Amino acid sequence: MKVLEVNNLHKKIGKKEIIKGVSFSVEEGEIFGFLGPNGAGKTTTIRMLVGLIKPTSGSISICGHDLQKESVEALRNVGAVVENPELYQYLSGMENLMQIARIRKISKEEVLDTIKLVGLENRIDDKVRKYSLGMKQRLGLAASLLSSPKLLILDEPTNGLDPSGILDFREVVKNAAKKRGMAVFVSSHILSEVQNLCDTVAFINDGVIKAVESVVNNSMKTEKDIITLVTTSNKEAVIKEMKTLGFVQSCKITEKGIEIILEANTTSKLVKNLAKEDFNIEEIYKERKGLEQRYMELVEGGIR
């Protein structure tokens, strides 16, 4: 089931068009990454998704409800965690959550279940001012999960967290998505975090989605392959020969050996040519740069 559907979304602020025909959808149980550089349009898109600003044109549907026409019904299905969750520092974690639970008529049993889900059982009665940034992020996540949303929106959720906090938060989000069958929308500019967390990634730049692609085993399909070749032959001779091959785009000597950039799925042709020329090859392997490489291809215009 499609939890979130965005169709041909446009947004103008003054005379400047910020979002230019953005379309994508997020399925139930899917963790969807929204990746792009600062100023690409990520925050503007999120502000439209949560109803803070209206699109100039286009539509947003959440669980079948048009956000423009049925905002209450649509937003009832949404939970969100922004960079710094708003929390009462002088209250305990439990008191913060119970404030929300009373307003939304949520039982204490559901609160306790959510606390367990985010792994705060041992510190939930401490004052929030004593929490680390990672613990505050977990509490903010718990607050957003109390109403059992169908769509969870995370805006730069790991900013400021140390490596341990990032790992913990990632596992909590994956666990929550799996156990509750939520669709999760994650906006970030941190490549490694998106690659390790998401099932699908949309690449946005200058208000335009360049591609929407799947992440499989922490890797992605790329337009080019990068091969490293370790050889005892004359490296200049190898490079000269490689440059005669139409599917090879560039060659250079690096600390590892010879780096060869070639068209995707042409590695076997490269190996055949190397064997034919009888070069002394000690090792040949593919550099699996995954999301980083794909980001450079789509957003930055090529591999650096």
Side-chain angles (χ1 to χ4, degrees):
M1 178 185 121
K2 289 181 181 178
V3 174
L4 172 64
E5 291 184 82
V6 175
N7 184 41
N8 199 25
L9 206 62
H10 289 258
K11 179 62 183 177
K12 276 188 177 181
I13 298 178
K15 293 183 178 180
K16 187 175 181 182
E17 191 172 24
I18 307 297
I19 302 298
K20 308 168 185 176
V22 163
S23 298
F24 60 86
S25 63
V26 187
E27 302 275 345
E28 188 177 272
E30 179 181 13
I31 303 178
F32 184 95
F34 202 51
L35 180 63
N38 292 332
K42 300 191 302 295
T43 299
T44 301
T45 301
I46 283 182
R47 292 180 72 197
M48 288 189 280
L49 293 182
V50 298
L52 292 175
I53 58 175
K54 292 183 178 181
T56 304
S57 63
S59 65
I60 300 168
S61 175
I62 301 170
C63 293
H65 299 287
D66 188 298
L67 185 56
Q68 295 268 79
K69 299 172 183 175
E70 307 169 274
S71 60
V72 174
E73 291 85 352
L75 293 174
R76 189 176 286 130
N77 295 290
V78 178
V81 180
V82 294
E83 206 169 315
N84 297 301
E86 291 293 327
L87 302 164
Y88 295 108
Q89 302 292 318
Y90 58 89
L91 297 179
S92 69
M94 176 62 85
E95 288 166 337
N96 268 274
L97 295 180
M98 289 307 296
Q99 292 269 18
I100 299 167
R102 278 191 286 271
I103 294 168
R104 297 184 182 174
K105 296 181 172 57
I106 295 167
S107 70
K108 189 171 182 179
E109 287 73 21
E110 290 177 86
V111 175
L112 292 172
D113 181 59
T114 303
I115 291 167
K116 187 176 180 181
L117 184 66
V118 300
L120 273 179
E121 309 100 299
N122 296 330
R123 298 292 301 277
I124 198 64
D125 292 319
D126 292 355
K127 302 292 185 191
V128 170
R129 64 171 174 264
K130 296 180 180 178
Y131 280 14
S132 66
L133 181 57
M135 290 169 64
K136 289 177 181 176
Q137 290 289 74
R138 288 193 193 202
L139 186 62
L141 181 59
S144 71
L145 293 174
L146 279 180
S147 57
S148 298
K150 293 293 185 183
L151 173 64
L152 178 64
I153 295 174
L154 304 175
D155 186 14
E156 303 289 358
T158 58
N159 267 11
L161 296 184
D162 60 24
S164 177
I166 290 172
L167 288 170
D168 289 344
F169 192 82
R170 182 195 305 157
E171 290 309 308
V172 167
V173 171
K174 284 183 174 181
N175 194 29
K178 184 178 179 182
K179 284 193 172 181
R180 299 201 172 182
M182 292 183 306
V184 182
F185 178 93
V186 184
S187 170
S188 182
H189 62 275
I190 302 173
L191 295 169
S192 59
E193 189 50 35
V194 171
Q195 181 164 320
N196 287 314
L197 178 62
C198 299
D199 305 306
T200 309
V201 180
F203 298 84
I204 185 170
N205 194 27
D206 193 28
V208 177
I209 287 186
K210 303 294 184 179
V212 179
E213 299 185 357
S214 298
V215 180
V216 181
N217 296 326
N218 288 346
S219 190
M220 306 192 75
K221 181 184 75 174
T222 57
E223 292 177 352
K224 304 175 182 70
D225 286 341
I226 303 177
I227 301 297
T228 293
L229 189 67
V230 181
T231 177
T232 56
S233 295
N234 183 316
K235 290 183 175 63
E236 297 297 339
V238 174
I239 288 175
K240 184 178 178 180
E241 176 61 29
M242 292 301 98
K243 287 183 176 178
T244 67
L245 304 176
F247 55 87
V248 171
Q249 298 189 357
S250 69
C251 295
K252 65 180 180 182
I253 297 172
T254 69
E255 290 181 0
K256 296 178 182 179
I258 300 173
E259 182 184 271
I260 305 169
I261 297 176
L262 61 160
E263 294 173 9
N265 304 315
T266 58
T267 302
S268 61
K269 290 167 69 176
L270 177 73
V271 171
K272 285 178 184 176
N273 277 276
L274 289 168
K276 188 172 101 176
E277 295 300 324
D278 201 27
F279 291 119
N280 292 319
I281 306 302
E282 291 186 351
E283 189 176 358
I284 180 170
Y285 58 91
K286 186 180 289 188
E287 298 277 359
R288 299 191 180 277
K289 295 191 176 180
L291 186 61
E292 178 184 337
Q293 181 181 331
R294 195 67 182 125
Y295 178 88
M296 296 305 300
E297 291 172 354
L298 290 166
V299 177
E300 298 291 340
I303 300 171
R304 285 180 181 167

